[in-house]
């Protein structure tokens, strides 16, 4: 790492820092230029702990790390394909679809059938909903999970649902095939640590104002805890423009693909916030190398208990599946 | 609320929406202008549920709520003073101080003594640390909480610590006087619901990219669940400028004071990220009507296991206390 | 428009506002709900002037406009196709390409030939460069414009260059076919007013932190001044994540297409900031309905005087042209 | 500077980069660590030009500058006090006040008298207004400038006005004492270069989404061109929260004071956007070391042609002056 020395630092402050480095047996070399002084500090791979200390010294303006902090992810390694029963990464993008919320068994069944027919590889349905207001629909809870399991089995699809509480880990391990961690919980480390001990695939959404580095570091909690079956999911970031509350961050997707070998999918529904834009954003995501999409589908969006505005009707979802298949094939390395 | 009709909407789409409103017995009135059509919809106070549905209709461009969604907070009501043993809101700002992390009993004791002497009303100390990287210090855990309780009793101060897990609620109820929900957990609704059932004061930090409305709605989870002893805490928001990773949002503090009667404090340490700026930001916060501050103090910041860069040494903290007292007195309504 | 009344407003403040409306002969209707009072105010199409006044009254919490402020752009109207000699919107996306900066006649000629061969419809080249630092290359100035004209004629392409100063309008009118207003000058109204008096097509880039509404309102300065030959260009917005300094805002493109009938292109080079991502972002943009792209191309990016990092080499540019052609054809309404 | 080598770089790419450095006679040293390779490159003070080139090489992940790019500003040097006739930085904060727009001679005179009485050191008044919409009041233009000069002389105050066009430089040089460059023109380099040739003090507002570094580099255009009489002005940055469209960036002010010796003032009126918050933000700004404020004052905000919502009435402005004087005195180094 590089320690940049504060321009106004006194000699005694700089000496104090040097003494610390020497006392800690940390080797370093001075880098000096026309108007700066910096130190290149040699740290072994697990040297993060010292950073908190060093930056507190008066002589230090800032510390610039050179190592990547997510040690268990490397773009140099072979990309991990998404490995779910019934899905073949060599041939098609991974498609998760279903309603935002599970509202009833018949509602879920009706939607499950159409997404299966159109080619989805997994069925999503929310049972525990993280709602901004306590006065809106909070989901069916445990009952919803049982409906999801039942209907998923009927249509023979793996199922996906979002977990909010460490106390539900056992329930999800038993009944849910892919466990989703939502944007609001991306830095809920208590939950991440618990999930790192399961052997279920985890879909880790990026927080709407989290950097790519923070996202990969949250994934690192899962990997470090022992679960390397992680799928990253970009779902739109917060913007300064209230007319587009979220902006799909394809730059982030492209960057992440140079930094991690974990698979990355996109949630165009939350990124769009409007059904009219979902298919275009899906196409754009696949064109930028996303390995799949998670799409909200509802047979009657007007009566959906949540996210109706951004839910696709079955016919539009069918078109979406064909459209991304087309771009996926063009985009694959031969 | 106002439903703005999409400019390109067909008559049949508008009729469909009108039919829904009539079938649901929702009364409305058309508002028309030179180039727009909108509906004013009369909703009773608990009408949020319908919004998710209505905005899914094809004729709807957007919905503009006119009611405030945080029903249990009203700026019109008398402000709630901070009510903690040993603190008098009529005379002084509320001061919470202590180390970022509890590192040992002797470390905490040394710091506790000096913050008590300088006038702090509560002792903070982190035992469970939400760290961006899994490879950095994660806190002493339960043992830290027991040290905090012991040392707080010795110096006769109430104590404050951050909770990360619903599974620790019982531990915190037993040993911690004010329970802090951190910025990363502001929308951890599972945790908020659990804390709403305790009778402990909750310090609810604003997420670093959460709107004022989202912050107040998270507080509403606590109030709605039965705990109205909530202190809001602004701690800096995320900015587009990496040279100042957080920006203390005093505009947000000023706005929030017009919207809620809950007390609001500021965390200048995280907002600053640099010990040199902590006192100035504290003064600024009190000048803008914040009712207190939460400050990180360490006797030897250079060896702190976390946040050393932004921790004040005891003498600087002493000056800060005097300085904000001065502004608080000037600023109080007579 | 809707005037929302401040919750804490006194009767006398509300009466004052009503008197003003009556005295100004502005008709309005009260909208009341369980916890709010608002007025629907009927304004003719040119009523903006009054808004600045009304919002200053003590009783007013905020004003919500219902009319769109960009009167001369309507999504309901037929989309304006890009109309440049040699380009056919029915068959292909519009492609502008060339070096960031004009460095010499031979440099520009070499690049011009290859972009022509690959299918570009216009040649770009910067002669006046808006550089963040005064100590970096500022462009060849007038001499660059003359080189651009000469080389564009040789390869028989229209040319594009960025204007920085009202004093250069005459120069550009004489020698440049499409005049570009850069992101930093999107709200340089002095320049926009001068350009509104020319009959040249204007490429108006979106500011990197400008809302879609501000962008369309800047275009409105051109339309209102008499020049309706405007092409909007999205080039990435500023993000909170320093690892991706700009994020291509496809949500903004999709939204803008519902609000304006002006054509919209995308600059994937600035949006990417990295040559590796330019083609993917171009594909994504066309997939989202952008009508063209403006791409930086250099035969030797390593010695480019500016933007080498994000410039494509000729062979990669050739691939890009084929790739977006493919998506454009698939994406066109039949 | 530090060149960080792309992790996936091939040996031949790294050799290519080394060859370039050697051929250009640039000395460098390799810095290697457990999972990275970087070069420390020794550049003389004017080495920026090479950066654009180097970062285009395939082996380069990114370049981290170590020199500060604003060479003519140094926090190490003595701070430049604001030096305006009739103002004494040792005793008081610098106060600019007046209406947003000049509307008539009588309007300006009435306001000028009260701001003079309350202690303002300069009279502001806008004659050329950069309005987001072409359909709102654009200012009185030249006539406004003549009114400003006349009234300023009557009350014996220097005057301040915003310039939009290089074509007005002569007019402003003749009649205006301090020339303001607004937030939207902070990167209008054409205008900055023209103003660098005048000997008038320039008030350079920070763009609402400009980094501190970009702000100081825009000031550098003025200094480099020959005008070192520059006052920086922070006026609120754009936020993700539409309920507070701007956030006063006191972190930015505090940081800037460590980087430049130019004086810094704050515009609390635009930062607040609401008259109720202007005084509190002014106090906060002075508490954070701002050397003055620029405040919008109107005797009848309700009929102001622009910015009435955020304009203070005379009595509130009087209180503000006393309040910031008080904090300024406390805050000065003895």
């Amino acid at each position: 790492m590089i320690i940049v020395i504060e321009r106004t630092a006194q000699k005694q402050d700089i000496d104090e820092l040097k003494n610390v480095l020497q006392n800690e047996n940390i080797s370093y070399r001075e880098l000096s230029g026309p108007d700066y002084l910096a130190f290149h500090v040699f740290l072994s791979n697990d040297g993060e702990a010292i950073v908190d200390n060093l930056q507190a010294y008066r002589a230090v303006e800032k510390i610039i790390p050179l190592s990547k902090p997510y040690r268990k992810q490397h773009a140099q390694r072979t990309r991990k394909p998404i490995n779910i029963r019934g899905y073949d990464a060599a041939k098609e993008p991974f498609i998760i679809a279903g309603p935002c919320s599970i509202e009833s068994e018949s509602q879920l069944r009706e939607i499950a059938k159409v997404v299966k027919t159109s080619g989805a590889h997994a069925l999503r349905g929310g049972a525990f909903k993280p709602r901004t207001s306590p006065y809106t629909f909070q989901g069916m809870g445990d009952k919803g999970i049982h409906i999801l399991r039942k209907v998923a089995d009927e249509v023979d699809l793996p199922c996906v649902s979002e977990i909010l509480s460490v106390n539900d880990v056992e329930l999800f391990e038993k009944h849910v095939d892919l466990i989703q961690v939502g944007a609001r919980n991306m830095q809920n480390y208590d939950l991440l640590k618990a999930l790192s001990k399961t052997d279920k695939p985890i879909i880790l959404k990026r927080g709407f104002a989290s950097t790519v580095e923070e996202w990969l570091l949250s994934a690192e909690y899962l990997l470090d805890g022992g679960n390397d079956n992680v799928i990253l999911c970009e779902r739109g970031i917060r913007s300064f423009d209230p007319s587009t509350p979220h902006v799909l961050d394809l730059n982030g997707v492209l960057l992440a693909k140079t930094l991690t070998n974990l698979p990355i999918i996109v949630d165009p529904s939350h990124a769009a916030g409007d059904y009219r834009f979902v298919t275009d954003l899906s196409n754009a995501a696949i064109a930028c190398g996303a390995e799949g999409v998670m799409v909200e589908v509802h047979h009657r969006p007007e009566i959906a208990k949540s996210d109706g505005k951004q839910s696709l009707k079955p016919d539009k979802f069918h078109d979406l599946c064909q459209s991304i298949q087309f771009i996926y094939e063009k985009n694959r390395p031969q």
Side-chain angles (χ1 to χ4, degrees), chain A:
Chain A
M1 70 189 189
I2 306 290
I3 300 179
V4 182
I5 301 299
E6 181 68 41
R7 246 143 255 248
T8 52
Q10 306 293 314
K11 183 176 181 307
Q12 73 197 62
D13 296 331
I14 300 172
D15 287 345
E16 180 192 25
L17 180 64
K18 289 181 182 173
N19 285 338
V20 170
L21 293 170
Q22 282 154 14
N23 292 344
E24 300 274 344
N25 283 316
I26 298 170
S27 59
Y28 68 95
R29 181 189 278 165
E30 292 192 26
L31 312 176
S32 58
D35 63 340
Y36 63 82
L37 177 65
F39 294 171
H40 175 228
V41 175
F42 302 89
L43 282 184
S44 64
N45 210 353
D46 54 354
E48 288 93 343
I50 198 76
V51 173
D52 271 330
N53 289 358
L54 290 177
Q55 67 187 358
Y57 283 88
R58 195 178 290 245
V60 176
E61 181 193 333
K62 62 179 170 185
I63 289 182
I64 302 168
L66 293 176
S67 287
K68 298 295 186 210
Y70 24 89
R71 299 180 206 150
K72 295 189 163 64
Q73 300 165 71
H74 292 280
Q76 299 97 311
R77 297 195 193 146
T78 312
R79 283 198 81 63
K80 291 183 57 132
I82 293 174
N83 180 14
I84 303 289
R85 168 177 60 87
Y87 167 68
D88 180 354
K91 296 202 305 196
E92 53 197 357
F94 186 57
I95 303 176
I96 303 168
C100 174
S101 295
I102 299 159
E103 300 164 21
S104 71
E105 191 173 317
S106 61
Q107 170 247 21
L108 186 63
R109 183 175 293 115
E110 175 147 4
I111 298 169
K113 284 179 189 168
V114 299
V115 303
K116 168 81 175 183
T117 303
S118 293
H121 307 100
L123 175 67
R124 64 154 287 156
F128 300 90
K129 304 300 303 172
R131 305 303 300 275
T132 306
S133 164
Y135 307 122
T136 50
F137 181 58
Q138 305 277 317
M140 292 183 76
D142 294 42
K143 196 176 164 196
I145 294 296
H146 293 294
I147 292 174
L148 177 63
R149 179 72 275 157
K150 183 177 176 196
V151 172
D153 286 344
E154 287 176 14
V155 295
D156 190 27
L157 283 178
C159 66
V160 178
S161 201
E162 178 174 354
I163 190 167
L164 298 190
S165 173
V166 285
N167 292 330
D168 292 328
V169 171
E170 210 173 318
L171 175 76
F172 275 64
E173 277 192 288
K174 196 159 172 197
H175 300 297
V176 176
D177 300 304
L178 296 98
I179 305 178
Q180 175 186 327
V181 176
R184 289 173 184 75
N185 280 308
M186 190 199 88
Q187 295 191 312
N188 181 339
Y189 301 118
D190 181 51
L191 184 59
L192 294 177
K193 286 176 181 174
L195 292 171
S196 76
K197 300 308 176 194
T198 75
D199 59 1
K200 292 281 182 177
I202 309 295
I203 298 175
L204 180 64
K205 285 201 164 181
R206 178 181 175 193
F208 49 65
S210 297
T211 64
V212 169
E213 180 166 311
E214 289 163 347
W215 187 24
L216 300 190
L217 280 168
S218 283
E220 197 80 4
Y221 268 92
L222 295 165
L223 299 173
D224 188 51
N227 185 345
D228 65 355
N229 205 342
V230 178
I231 299 171
L232 299 167
C233 181
E234 155 65 22
R235 44 79 73 211
I237 58 172
R238 189 151 271 188
S239 144
F240 57 83
D241 186 351
S243 68
T244 53
H246 294 110
V247 172
L248 179 61
D249 184 8
L250 294 176
N251 294 65
V253 170
L254 287 161
L255 177 68
K257 289 194 71 166
T258 72
L259 298 173
T260 181
N261 61 331
L262 296 175
I264 302 175
I265 65 171
V266 159
D267 170 350
S269 304
H270 284 88
D274 188 319
Y275 69 92
R276 297 174 296 174
F277 306 152
V278 171
T279 300
D280 288 341
L281 290 184
S282 299
N283 287 335
I286 299 299
C288 286
E291 282 140 324
V293 291
M294 171 150 56
V295 183
E296 290 182 348
V297 177
H298 203 287
H299 59 306
R300 287 192 59 200
E302 308 84 13
I303 60 162
K305 288 197 174 167
S306 56
D307 284 0
K309 177 77 173 176
Q310 70 199 36
S311 294
L312 286 191
K313 291 188 182 171
D315 59 333
K316 295 288 182 192
F317 173 67
H318 192 74
D319 293 348
L320 180 153
C321 290
Q322 296 199 297
S323 176
I324 62 173
Q325 176 66 31
F326 186 79
I327 292 178
Y328 191 83
E329 285 174 17
K330 288 295 299 181
N331 215 36
R332 288 295 94 178
Q334 306 307 318

